[in-house]
């Protein structure tokens, strides 16, 4: 992927992280994705006192994209870490988010785990979720 787009996604994830609602875990996550048409959507984690109702940053971004008509995702960047600090580790998408990403992207979707614009790890979704279960299996 082009360097400029990668940087735009990482900056978007870092910015979205600032809006995280994480009063319980104090772990703030931001995500930014680009759809096939080039539109960018961002999301943050949104926690709930009933913990199971929490939505991860990745899914917030995916649901914003899909509900705006963007159903094909090309790449997503994720940045997470303890509230009030720069990300210290790479934040990888949880299992549920990997499954949701696979619904709206191919195996070659790019997943970037970033600590900063210059410090990131890049994967394909297939690398993070091999042998995935998808619509093709039940049609
Ligand atoms: N979280 C995300 O936003 N994305 C992930 O992929 C993993 C976890 C959030 C959920 C919760 O608000 C906090 O991180 C701690 O689990």
């Amino acid at each position: 992927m082009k360097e400029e787009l990668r940087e735009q996604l990482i900056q978007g994830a870092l910015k979205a992280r600032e809006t995280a609602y994480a009063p319980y875990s104090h772990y703030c996550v931001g995500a930014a994705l680009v759809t096939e048409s080039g539109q960018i959507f961002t999301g943050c984690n949104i926690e709930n006192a009933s913990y199971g109702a929490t939505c991860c940053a990745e899914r917030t971004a995916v649901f914003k994209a899909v509900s705006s008509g963007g159903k094909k995702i090309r790449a997503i960047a994720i940045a997470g870490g303890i509230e009030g600090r720069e990300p210290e580790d790479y934040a990888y998408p949880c299992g549920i988010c990997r499954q949701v990403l696979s619904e709206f992207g191919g195996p070659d979707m790019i997943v970037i785990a970033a600590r900063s614009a210059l410090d990131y790890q890049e994967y394909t979704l297939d690398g993070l979720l091999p042998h995935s279960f998808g619509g093709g299996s039940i049609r």
Side-chain angles (χ1 to χ4, degrees):
M1 92 173 328
K2 284 196 182 134
E3 220 169 286
E4 195 187 323
L5 177 59
R6 184 190 300 109
E7 183 168 348
Q8 211 180 336
L9 290 178
I10 294 174
Q11 297 293 11
L14 289 166
K15 181 98 188 122
R17 185 175 170 248
E18 293 171 14
T19 60
Y21 177 72
Y24 305 106
S25 73
H26 302 284
Y27 185 84
C28 297
V29 187
L33 63 81
V34 62
T35 63
E36 212 155 70
S37 67
Q39 273 188 294
I40 291 180
F41 294 91
T42 63
C44 62
N45 55 330
I46 304 169
E47 297 188 345
N48 194 282
S50 174
Y51 295 174
T54 291
C55 190
C56 289
E58 299 91 320
R59 273 177 287 149
T60 304
V62 170
F63 297 155
K64 281 168 72 177
V66 173
S67 59
S68 303
K71 290 184 175 54
K72 266 276 167 203
I73 298 167
R74 271 173 46 205
I76 185 166
I78 304 149
I82 296 162
E83 191 174 54
R85 298 195 210 162
E86 300 297 308
E88 283 157 16
D89 297 311
Y90 302 113
Y92 297 101
C94 77
I96 296 174
C97 288
R98 291 179 199 204
Q99 180 66 26
V100 169
L101 286 169
S102 79
E103 186 76 24
F104 300 105
D108 55 347
M109 182 199 294
I110 293 168
V111 180
I112 302 159
R115 295 201 294 204
S116 72
L118 297 174
D119 181 359
Y120 58 86
Q121 301 283 327
E122 196 169 295
Y123 305 86
T124 61
L125 184 60
D126 189 50
L128 295 178
L129 189 69
H131 309 293
S132 65
F133 181 82
S137 313
I138 50 175
R139 265 179 215 126

